[in-house]
Amino acid sequence: MRRCSKYVGMESWLFIGFGFPYEGPAPLEAIANGCIFLQPKFQPPRSSLNHEFFRGKPTSRGVSSQHPYAEQYIGRPHVMTVDYNNSQEFDTAIREIMRTKVEPYLPYEYTCEGMLERVHAYIQNQDFCVPEPPFPLGNLSKPLATSMSPGPLFVPLPNTTALGWAANVTPPPVWPPVSSLRLLASQEGQSCIETCQSARLVCEPAHFRFINNKEALRGLDVQCEALDSESNHVLPAFSVARRECSLQQDPLLFSCAGHSPRYRRLCPCRDFRRGQVALCRECL
């Protein structure tokens, strides 16, 4: 690797990642200094199930590249993510880099102003002295805060396959606001991280409690011949083949990263502000 900087008579324009360390700060520093970051794509994603570095760590999250944030939220032309085992793809990327000139780029969320904006939003919109409401029982048809509301809890949104919070249902006083919630169903074996990313959204763990109910299953037209509630990190989810539905019993096990070939998951996605992924569009 070469540090991206300019000297008299010499200029560096490429920063190469060799697969490790994961999600370090160096690629972001290189991009901020005007370099293109070339990194390896991991197929399949590396996780505690298939890679020694993650083995034993209490997470089922998989990393699709050396720096997933750079891959997903910066991307080309500043970031090139390629399969290093594919010589043709690698050669094409190098030739493209040689023809490309980029300006220094620093995502807004990594600036001092962006950081202060997040801190302000967190402090102004949350009351840390008020205890969290009790976790609603999984077999309720609706969350406790809206159990008396008429009509469906989730309705189709225009120009998307996602469901949103019904406008005629009084939203609970939470942050991020449930107006940012986009309910999607994953494919079998797919995590909610992947499902939300495919719709250009992010998975929001705080929204899990609002989709862990029969109303969410009903809104997605899921046919449940059996409905139970248990503790499992892939729940809430359902099986199409067996027509079995399961809701989450333990709120500490809500996971965006969990996946299972047996289930399609209910995923609480949300929108986000460009350059400030931690905040939804209505979070300021």
Side-chain angles (χ1 to χ4, degrees):
M1 298 184 189
R2 287 190 294 171
R3 182 174 178 80
C4 295
S5 56
K6 297 181 179 179
Y7 303 95
V8 176
M10 183 178 73
E11 182 176 342
S12 300
W13 65 89
L14 176 62
F15 190 86
I16 302 178
F18 293 104
F20 191 86
Y22 304 108
E23 301 177 300
L28 298 174
E29 294 175 0
I31 295 166
N33 280 280
C35 279
I36 293 175
F37 175 47
L38 177 65
Q39 66 166 342
K41 179 189 302 180
F42 301 145
Q43 295 177 320
R46 294 181 179 177
S47 69
S48 59
L49 302 176
N50 61 18
H51 199 270
E52 190 60 36
F53 176 81
F54 296 104
R55 203 175 308 281
K57 293 180 171 62
T59 177
S60 49
R61 175 175 177 252
V63 292
S64 57
S65 61
Q66 182 175 343
H67 205 293
Y69 172 87
E71 175 191 5
Q72 296 153 14
Y73 300 113
I74 300 179
R76 292 172 180 264
H78 302 278
V79 180
M80 302 280 192
T81 305
V82 300
D83 181 0
Y84 280 11
N85 294 316
N86 186 325
S87 57
Q88 183 177 354
E89 184 179 346
F90 185 84
D91 182 66
T92 300
I94 293 296
R95 292 178 183 276
E96 183 179 346
I97 290 169
M98 293 174 66
R99 298 191 304 267
T100 304
K101 181 174 177 58
V102 298
E103 296 298 322
Y105 175 69
L106 181 64
Y108 176 70
E109 52 204 329
Y110 282 94
T111 65
C112 292
E113 183 180 353
M115 182 272 292
L116 291 173
E117 183 180 79
R118 286 196 304 279
V119 172
H120 178 267
Y122 293 153
I123 293 175
Q124 293 298 312
N125 293 287
Q126 298 181 93
D127 189 344
F128 299 99
C129 296
V130 176
E132 219 177 56
F135 182 63
L137 299 176
N139 60 359
L140 287 176
S141 62
K142 298 181 182 179
L144 294 176
T146 59
S147 59
M148 300 304 292
S149 302
L153 193 60
F154 300 100
V155 295
L157 296 173
N159 304 318
T160 178
T161 58
L163 302 180
W165 192 269
N168 64 336
V169 178
T170 303
V174 295
W175 192 84
V178 292
S179 58
S180 67
L181 171 61
R182 303 291 183 265
L183 173 60
L184 287 169
S186 76
Q187 298 300 316
E188 285 90 349
Q190 191 178 49
S191 72
C192 285
I193 292 177
E194 297 169 307
T195 300
C196 297
Q197 285 176 353
S198 66
R200 298 186 178 183
L201 302 166
V202 294
C203 182
E204 177 52 69
H207 285 336
F208 264 114
R209 62 169 50 234
F210 303 112
I211 67 167
N212 188 55
N213 50 67
K214 296 177 183 177
E215 280 293 302
L217 293 165
R218 188 176 297 119
L220 292 169
D221 293 325
V222 178
Q223 303 299 316
C224 302
E225 292 186 358
L227 176 65
D228 61 10
S229 177
E230 57 182 287
S231 299
N232 189 307
H233 73 298
V234 301
L235 304 180
F238 61 94
S239 168
V240 176
R242 296 183 299 276
R243 293 195 173 188
E244 295 175 354
C245 303
S246 297
L247 301 177
Q248 181 61 259
Q249 196 170 51
D250 186 349
L252 296 178
L253 291 182
F254 282 137
S255 167
C256 287
H259 56 87
S260 169
R262 296 175 51 199
Y263 288 109
R264 295 184 63 183
R265 301 195 58 197
L266 272 62
C267 297
C269 308
R270 68 160 169 82
D271 55 29
F272 60 90
R273 302 176 69 86
R274 182 172 176 80
Q276 191 71 289
V277 179
L279 300 180
C280 67
R281 292 174 187 166
E282 297 181 9
C283 282
L284 289 179

